[in-house]
Amino acid sequence: MTDKQRSELQENIVKLYLRLNGYISTSLIIHSEEKRISAEIDTISIRFPYHSQDETEHNSSDFLEVPSNIDVIIGEVKSHKQQLQFNKALRQDNLISLTKILKWIGLFKEDQIKAIATDLLGLVTPIENSKKKEFTNLLIDTDFGKISLRPILFSPETNSKKTNSDKFVGWEEIDDFLWKCLCPENIREYCGIRYDFTAWGSDYSEIVKVYKNRQPSQTRFKNMEELYAEITSLRKS
């Protein structure tokens, strides 16, 4: 598996985790005046307050601290060897990238953008020796009610229990929640658990299939390396 394939799988498993938590997600590229890409956002994810999926018999993860209002996550996916901080491209262009992100999201008025971008810059700028136990959050009044804007780091290759950093979403949290959603111990009353997994689409079908393949034995993945290996085997079969 190439580095690019591994990176794509990391981003897809994060987006699947967010989807199962009730978020609609997309990636985003930021264009510059020099006619090049100045920044890439791995995921912008939004969850609405009346979201419900009772038929699947699971709720959103408590770890994710989902608020009761509209929630927008600006997410960055980091590999194990990368620092757990947002890329410099978001922080070193005089708010240009952050401003374009906020305008693209489309929930904030023009006269709010600069102040929100300035506050958001403070949240994505790393602080030495910071060990925050909760995700940072901007709560903004809009025409659509209060909106939470949260920059969150995801690192599927990293132990979630790492203590020398701010809170992030790592392997144990992602795997625990995906297993709970995809591999329930008991048959669900209103929701099937065995079906054509290609219905998940090209981004998620392989991930769902390898989880479902392990469901009968209830053998969990220890880490992303095991998931990479099983997906590689699946592709060769």
Side-chain angles (χ1 to χ4, degrees), residues 8 27 34 125 176 187:
E8 288 175 348
S27 54
E34 290 78 22
T125 300
D176 284 350
I187 299 297

Side-chain angles (χ1 to χ4, degrees), residues 12-28:
N12 286 340
I13 200 169
V14 166
K15 289 177 183 176
L16 178 58
Y17 167 82
L18 288 167
R19 172 169 164 174
L20 291 169
N21 270 286
Y23 289 81
I24 301 167
S25 301
T26 185
S27 54
L28 182 68

Side-chain angles (χ1 to χ4, degrees), residues 173-232:
E173 164 60 16
I174 293 171
D175 180 58
D176 284 350
F177 192 72
L178 263 61
W179 189 269
K180 174 184 176 182
C181 296
L182 298 174
C183 304
E185 293 184 8
N186 301 314
I187 299 297
R188 290 172 174 155
E189 186 175 0
Y190 300 110
C191 176
I193 58 175
R194 307 300 297 185
Y195 41 79
D196 181 1
F197 304 137
T198 61
W200 284 89
S202 58
D203 288 344
Y204 307 135
S205 59
E206 288 181 328
I207 299 170
V208 172
K209 187 171 183 178
V210 296
Y211 270 89
K212 294 289 190 179
N213 284 346
R214 289 201 171 199
Q215 184 174 2
S217 65
Q218 294 293 305
T219 304
R220 301 280 291 272
F221 291 103
K222 294 179 181 178
N223 47 44
M224 276 291 289
E225 291 298 327
E226 284 196 359
L227 187 140
Y228 292 142
E230 194 144 334
I231 286 180
T232 298

Side-chain angles (χ1 to χ4, degrees), residues 47-101:
R47 186 183 191 275
F48 296 98
Y50 298 144
H51 164 78
S52 174
Q53 48 182 337
D54 294 340
E55 70 281 358
T56 64
E57 299 180 13
H58 68 78
N59 296 310
S60 298
S61 172
D62 292 337
F63 184 88
L64 201 52
E65 301 172 16
V66 178
S68 59
N69 46 266
I70 296 174
D71 187 36
V72 179
I73 292 175
I74 298 174
E76 191 161 305
V77 182
K78 314 298 289 190
S79 297
H80 178 61
K81 296 180 181 180
Q82 295 177 313
Q83 287 185 300
L84 285 171
Q85 58 183 238
F86 281 84
N87 288 336
K88 292 181 180 179
L90 283 182
R91 302 183 264 117
Q92 297 185 337
D93 62 359
N94 196 29
L95 300 180
I96 293 174
S97 290
L98 293 177
T99 295
K100 289 181 178 180
I101 292 169

